[in-house]
C-alpha cells in the first residue's frame, strides 16, 4: 500500500510538472506566434511533446489510483483467505488426531486379539 501511495504521489508530482511545462510551452508558443515560423514550429513541437507527456503521466496516475481503490478489497480478500486457511488447518489437525486415535485403538485391538489367540493356543 505504501509503495502504491508513493507511486501515486510521484505520478501526481510528475503530472503537475508536465502541466507546468505545458503552460510554459503554450505561453512560449503564443509569444513565438509573433516571431519566425521556425521558432513557431519548434514551440509547437515542444507543446505537443509536453501534452503527450502530460497524457502519459495522467494515465499512470489513473492506473495508480485504480490500484489504490482496489487495494482495500484485495486486503480484505487476503484476510478472509487467511482465516479460511486457519480453519482448514484446525480441521486437518482434528483429522490427524482422529487418525492417531484410530491407529492406537487398532493397535490395542490387535494386542488383545493376539492375547486371546495365545490363551486359546495354550488351552489346546
Amino acid at each position: 500500500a505504501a509503495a502504491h501511495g508513493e507511486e501515486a504521489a510521484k505520478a501526481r508530482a510528475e503530472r503537475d510538472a508536465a502541466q507546468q511545462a505545458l503552460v510554459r510551452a503554450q505561453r512560449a508558443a503564443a509569444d513565438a506566434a509573433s516571431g519566425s515560423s521556425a521558432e513557431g514550429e519548434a514551440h509547437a513541437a515542444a507543446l505537443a511533446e509536453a501534452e503527450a507527456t502530460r497524457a502519459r503521466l495522467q494515465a499512470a496516475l489513473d492506473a495508480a489510483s485504480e490500484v489504490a481503490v482496489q487495494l482495500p478489497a484485495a486486503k480484505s480478500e487476503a484476510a478472509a483467505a487467511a482465516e479460511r486457511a486457519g480453519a482448514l488447518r484446525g480441521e486437518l489437525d482434528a483429522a490427524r488426531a482422529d487418525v492417531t486415535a484410530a491407529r492406537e485403538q487398532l493397535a490395542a485391538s490387535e494386542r488383545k486379539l493376539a492375547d486371546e489367540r495365545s490363551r486359546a493356543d495354550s488351552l489346546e
Side-chain angles (χ1 to χ4, degrees), residues 50-62:
E51 179 60 29
T53 300
R54 188 205 61 76
R56 282 193 308 273
L57 291 172
Q58 184 63 49
L61 179 61
D62 291 346

Side-chain angles (χ1 to χ4, degrees), residues 17-111:
Q19 192 74 31
Q20 290 171 356
L22 177 62
V23 169
R24 284 193 303 271
Q26 287 172 335
R27 286 184 190 145
D31 291 344
S34 61
S36 71
S37 65
E39 286 177 350
E41 288 176 13
H43 287 294
L47 179 63
E49 183 178 339
E51 179 60 29
T53 300
R54 188 205 61 76
R56 282 193 308 273
L57 291 172
Q58 184 63 49
L61 179 61
D62 291 346
S65 295
E66 181 65 25
V67 168
V69 166
Q70 294 173 357
L71 192 58
K75 283 182 178 179
S76 177
E77 289 175 17
E83 189 175 316
R84 284 192 303 274
L88 290 173
R89 273 190 222 104
E91 290 178 21
L92 179 59
D93 290 344
R96 285 181 177 153
D98 289 347
V99 167
T100 299
R103 284 182 179 156
E104 289 171 357
Q105 190 176 25
L106 177 60
S109 295
E110 288 175 346
R111 284 191 301 273

Side-chain angles (χ1 to χ4, degrees), residues 1-14 60-61 64 67:
H4 290 297
E6 290 173 13
E7 289 178 25
K10 183 179 176 184
R12 277 196 231 44
E14 289 177 358
L61 179 61
V67 168

